[in-house]
């Protein structure tokens, strides 16, 4: 088959999606567990292998394929919600400690509340996420632009604030048949599925390779990143 490079090495391991932590209706995982696809007509939630807690600033990207439906939600969920959302048929963002983007509208969603925020994701778009646990804020954007004139580097205009750093948060999402056909995550390995990033953005942390500029002060979700 076609081999792709990986940034993983003995001194650093990057997050992937965790095929052992998901809803009873199981999505399909591939490409080193960095790609997720719906496999049944049901809400199917997915979560990363590495969580963020106690502080720090983290950045990640995901590229979507196909058109979203009303059950595509993407962002972060806490360990509390991770345990809950494994067993119930709810989308991420349904409860109070998950913070997500509604892919079909660009709204932000938390605790069953949907609020106007950005714009919908279309096939081929790259969604960006930035979580600041030093200041309790999160941002979403796409294709190099942060929604609502946000700026993670300065702390301006976050999607959500007052996020407690005492919880552990995992990049997460919901897929459902009839929506996105697949979603490719880049936690720093520099690939979306089998396709390498087209042009590497600036990254002062020098941890991981991303399509767009990593905001100043942020790093990849990896073992070295969470200990930097």
């Amino acid at each position: 088959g076609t081999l792709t490079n990986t940034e993983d090495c003995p001194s650093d391991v990057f997050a992937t999606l965790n095929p052992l932590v998901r809803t009873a209706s199981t999505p399909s995982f591939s490409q080193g567990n960095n790609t997720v696809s719906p496999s049944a007509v049901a809400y199917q939630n997915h979560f990363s292998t590495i969580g963020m807690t106690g502080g720090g600033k983290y950045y990640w990207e995901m590229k979507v394929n196909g058109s979203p439906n009303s059950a595509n939600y993407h962002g972060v969920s806490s360990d509390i919600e991770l345990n809950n959302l494994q067993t119930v048929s709810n989308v991420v963002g349904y409860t109070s400690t998950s913070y997500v983007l509604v892919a079909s509208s660009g709204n932000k969603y938390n605790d069953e509340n949907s609020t106007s925020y950005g714009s919908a994701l279309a096939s081929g778009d790259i969604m960006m996420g930035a979580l600041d646990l030093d200041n309790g804020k999160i941002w979403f954007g796409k294709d190099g632009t942060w929604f609502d004139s946000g700026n993670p580097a300065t702390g301006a205009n976050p999607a959500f604030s007052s996020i407690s750093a005492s919880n552990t948060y995992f990049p997460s999402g919901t897929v459902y048949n009839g929506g996105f056909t697949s979603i490719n995550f880049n936690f720093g390995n520099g690939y979306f599925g089998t396709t390498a990033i087209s042009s590497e953005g600036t990254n002062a942390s020098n941890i991981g390779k991303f399509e767009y500029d990593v905001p100043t002060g942020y790093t990849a979700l990896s073992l070295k990143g969470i200990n930097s």
Side-chain angles (χ1 to χ4, degrees):
T2 302
L3 300 179
T4 57
N5 294 326
T6 177
E7 293 293 298
D8 287 41
C9 64
S11 63
D12 198 12
V13 176
F14 288 80
T16 66
L17 301 177
N18 190 343
L20 301 178
V21 182
R22 72 288 188 275
T23 39
S25 179
T26 309
S28 173
F29 296 93
S30 59
Q31 304 302 326
N33 294 326
N34 284 307
T35 295
V36 61
S37 307
S39 60
V41 182
Y43 294 145
Q44 298 171 36
N45 299 322
H46 50 275
F47 309 89
S48 65
T49 52
I50 299 176
M52 304 164 281
T53 189
K57 300 179 179 181
Y58 304 95
Y59 173 84
W60 65 97
E61 299 173 339
M62 53 172 255
K63 187 173 185 178
V64 301
N65 300 301
S67 299
N69 63 10
S70 58
N72 284 123
Y73 295 73
H74 306 280
V76 299
S77 296
S78 79
D79 49 345
I80 300 169
E81 308 314 328
L82 180 150
N83 292 329
N84 178 52
L85 291 173
Q86 287 184 83
T87 58
V88 298
S89 295
N90 286 323
V91 298
V92 296
Y94 182 79
T95 43
S96 62
T97 57
S98 52
Y99 307 88
V100 304
L101 182 79
V102 183
S104 61
S105 65
N107 286 3
K108 57 185 180 181
Y109 186 66
N110 162 258
D111 203 17
E112 296 188 79
N113 293 309
S114 181
T115 306
S116 180
Y117 173 58
S119 58
L121 302 181
S123 189
D125 282 347
I126 296 173
M127 174 180 154
M128 310 175 297
L131 178 64
D132 176 359
L133 285 180
D134 292 336
N135 299 289
K137 299 178 179 181
I138 192 169
W139 292 259
F140 303 114
K142 71 175 182 180
D143 298 339
T145 300
W146 297 101
F147 291 140
D148 196 29
S149 300
N151 189 336
T154 65
N157 298 334
F160 297 101
S161 56
S162 300
I163 298 172
S164 173
S166 62
N167 295 322
T168 301
Y169 298 91
F170 299 83
S172 56
T174 300
V175 292
Y176 192 96
N177 268 1
F180 291 133
T181 55
S182 64
I183 300 169
N184 300 306
F185 281 80
N186 176 23
F187 290 110
N189 267 317
Y191 279 81
F192 296 106
T194 59
T195 304
I197 56 177
S198 60
S199 59
E200 186 175 353
T202 61
N203 182 1
S205 76
N206 293 315
I207 301 175
K209 297 181 178 182
F210 295 96
E211 182 77 27
Y212 297 109
D213 294 344
V214 178
T216 301
Y218 288 72
T219 189
L221 183 54
S222 70
L223 297 187
K224 184 178 287 186
I226 63 176
N227 289 297
S228 62

mmCIF file of all heavy atoms in Angstrom, residues 13 17 22 28-29 59 81-82 97 153 161 175 177 205 210:
data_model
loop_
_atom_site.group_PDB
_atom_site.id
_atom_site.type_symbol
_atom_site.label_atom_id
_atom_site.label_comp_id
_atom_site.label_asym_id
_atom_site.label_seq_id
_atom_site.Cartn_x
_atom_site.Cartn_y
_atom_site.Cartn_z
ATOM 1 N N VAL A 13 4.740 11.321 20.836
ATOM 2 C CA VAL A 13 3.642 10.596 20.212
ATOM 3 C C VAL A 13 2.460 11.545 20.079
ATOM 4 O O VAL A 13 2.078 12.203 21.053
ATOM 5 C CB VAL A 13 3.234 9.361 21.050
ATOM 6 C CG1 VAL A 13 2.022 8.679 20.433
ATOM 7 C CG2 VAL A 13 4.393 8.388 21.173
ATOM 8 N N LEU A 17 -7.467 9.381 16.912
ATOM 9 C CA LEU A 17 -8.786 9.043 17.427
ATOM 10 C C LEU A 17 -8.697 7.692 18.129
ATOM 11 O O LEU A 17 -7.876 6.848 17.781
ATOM 12 C CB LEU A 17 -9.809 8.990 16.292
ATOM 13 C CG LEU A 17 -9.957 10.293 15.501
ATOM 14 C CD1 LEU A 17 -10.937 10.102 14.350
ATOM 15 C CD2 LEU A 17 -10.393 11.439 16.404
ATOM 16 N N ARG A 22 -16.041 4.987 22.024
ATOM 17 C CA ARG A 22 -17.021 5.440 21.046
ATOM 18 C C ARG A 22 -18.387 4.913 21.441
ATOM 19 O O ARG A 22 -18.511 4.062 22.307
ATOM 20 C CB ARG A 22 -16.646 5.013 19.623
ATOM 21 C CG ARG A 22 -16.793 3.527 19.303
ATOM 22 C CD ARG A 22 -15.746 2.670 19.961
ATOM 23 N NE ARG A 22 -15.761 1.298 19.534
ATOM 24 C CZ ARG A 22 -16.530 0.347 20.036
ATOM 25 N NH1 ARG A 22 -17.435 0.647 20.937
ATOM 26 N NH2 ARG A 22 -16.445 -0.905 19.619
ATOM 27 N N SER A 28 -16.395 3.952 11.532
ATOM 28 C CA SER A 28 -15.230 3.282 10.958
ATOM 29 C C SER A 28 -13.996 4.159 11.144
ATOM 30 O O SER A 28 -14.028 5.363 10.863
ATOM 31 C CB SER A 28 -15.470 3.029 9.464
ATOM 32 O OG SER A 28 -14.301 2.524 8.845
ATOM 33 N N PHE A 29 -12.912 3.573 11.626
ATOM 34 C CA PHE A 29 -11.647 4.289 11.808
ATOM 35 C C PHE A 29 -10.608 3.739 10.827
ATOM 36 O O PHE A 29 -10.520 2.523 10.619
ATOM 37 C CB PHE A 29 -11.132 4.130 13.239
ATOM 38 C CG PHE A 29 -12.032 4.730 14.284
ATOM 39 C CD1 PHE A 29 -12.995 3.961 14.920
ATOM 40 C CD2 PHE A 29 -11.936 6.069 14.627
ATOM 41 C CE1 PHE A 29 -13.835 4.501 15.875
ATOM 42 C CE2 PHE A 29 -12.772 6.628 15.577
ATOM 43 C CZ PHE A 29 -13.723 5.841 16.203
ATOM 44 N N TYR A 59 -3.631 23.240 19.573
ATOM 45 C CA TYR A 59 -4.173 23.503 18.230
ATOM 46 C C TYR A 59 -4.280 22.194 17.456
ATOM 47 O O TYR A 59 -3.411 21.323 17.578
ATOM 48 C CB TYR A 59 -3.243 24.468 17.487
ATOM 49 C CG TYR A 59 -3.595 24.699 16.035
ATOM 50 C CD1 TYR A 59 -4.548 25.644 15.671
ATOM 51 C CD2 TYR A 59 -2.956 23.981 15.028
ATOM 52 C CE1 TYR A 59 -4.864 25.863 14.331
ATOM 53 C CE2 TYR A 59 -3.264 24.197 13.687
ATOM 54 C CZ TYR A 59 -4.217 25.135 13.345
ATOM 55 O OH TYR A 59 -4.536 25.352 12.029
ATOM 56 N N GLU A 81 -18.256 14.184 29.879
ATOM 57 C CA GLU A 81 -19.124 13.937 28.731
ATOM 58 C C GLU A 81 -18.648 12.752 27.922
ATOM 59 O O GLU A 81 -19.453 12.033 27.321
ATOM 60 C CB GLU A 81 -19.205 15.191 27.859
ATOM 61 C CG GLU A 81 -19.564 16.446 28.606
ATOM 62 C CD GLU A 81 -20.731 16.261 29.548
ATOM 63 O OE1 GLU A 81 -21.632 15.455 29.259
ATOM 64 O OE2 GLU A 81 -20.757 16.897 30.610
ATOM 65 N N LEU A 82 -17.341 12.536 27.869
ATOM 66 C CA LEU A 82 -16.822 11.376 27.157
ATOM 67 C C LEU A 82 -17.437 10.102 27.709
ATOM 68 O O LEU A 82 -17.921 9.245 26.968
ATOM 69 C CB LEU A 82 -15.295 11.330 27.274
ATOM 70 C CG LEU A 82 -14.540 10.196 26.590
ATOM 71 C CD1 LEU A 82 -13.161 10.677 26.176
ATOM 72 C CD2 LEU A 82 -14.396 8.980 27.493
ATOM 73 N N THR A 97 -20.270 20.550 29.496
ATOM 74 C CA THR A 97 -18.809 20.631 29.391
ATOM 75 C C THR A 97 -18.296 20.084 28.065
ATOM 76 O O THR A 97 -17.224 19.497 27.989
ATOM 77 C CB THR A 97 -18.118 19.910 30.562
ATOM 78 O OG1 THR A 97 -18.538 18.544 30.602
ATOM 79 C CG2 THR A 97 -18.435 20.585 31.883
ATOM 80 N N ALA A 153 -4.238 33.916 19.630
ATOM 81 C CA ALA A 153 -2.958 34.431 20.116
ATOM 82 C C ALA A 153 -3.144 35.588 21.091
ATOM 83 O O ALA A 153 -2.383 35.738 22.052
ATOM 84 C CB ALA A 153 -2.083 34.875 18.940
ATOM 85 N N SER A 161 -15.984 30.892 26.630
ATOM 86 C CA SER A 161 -15.016 31.237 27.677
ATOM 87 C C SER A 161 -15.487 30.612 28.985
ATOM 88 O O SER A 161 -16.496 29.904 29.030
ATOM 89 C CB SER A 161 -14.866 32.754 27.801
ATOM 90 O OG SER A 161 -16.125 33.370 28.042
ATOM 91 N N VAL A 175 -20.555 11.851 13.901
ATOM 92 C CA VAL A 175 -20.837 11.572 12.492
ATOM 93 C C VAL A 175 -22.156 10.828 12.397
ATOM 94 O O VAL A 175 -22.618 10.218 13.358
ATOM 95 C CB VAL A 175 -19.699 10.761 11.827
ATOM 96 C CG1 VAL A 175 -18.442 11.593 11.711
ATOM 97 C CG2 VAL A 175 -19.426 9.459 12.591
ATOM 98 N N ASN A 177 -24.742 8.873 9.097
ATOM 99 C CA ASN A 177 -24.935 8.598 7.673
ATOM 100 C C ASN A 177 -25.761 9.692 7.008
ATOM 101 O O ASN A 177 -26.742 10.172 7.570
ATOM 102 C CB ASN A 177 -25.631 7.251 7.476
ATOM 103 C CG ASN A 177 -24.637 6.120 7.309
ATOM 104 O OD1 ASN A 177 -23.432 6.320 7.359
ATOM 105 N ND2 ASN A 177 -25.151 4.919 7.114
ATOM 106 N N SER A 205 6.225 26.485 18.072
ATOM 107 C CA SER A 205 6.532 25.401 19.006
ATOM 108 C C SER A 205 7.413 24.332 18.369
ATOM 109 O O SER A 205 8.060 23.557 19.076
ATOM 110 C CB SER A 205 5.235 24.744 19.496
ATOM 111 O OG SER A 205 4.671 23.906 18.505
ATOM 112 N N PHE A 210 1.317 21.481 10.380
ATOM 113 C CA PHE A 210 -0.067 21.841 10.154
ATOM 114 C C PHE A 210 -0.212 22.644 8.870
ATOM 115 O O PHE A 210 0.729 23.309 8.429
ATOM 116 C CB PHE A 210 -0.610 22.645 11.333
ATOM 117 C CG PHE A 210 -0.673 21.863 12.614
ATOM 118 C CD1 PHE A 210 0.357 21.938 13.547
ATOM 119 C CD2 PHE A 210 -1.752 21.039 12.879
ATOM 120 C CE1 PHE A 210 0.309 21.210 14.728
ATOM 121 C CE2 PHE A 210 -1.814 20.308 14.056
ATOM 122 C CZ PHE A 210 -0.784 20.389 14.980
#
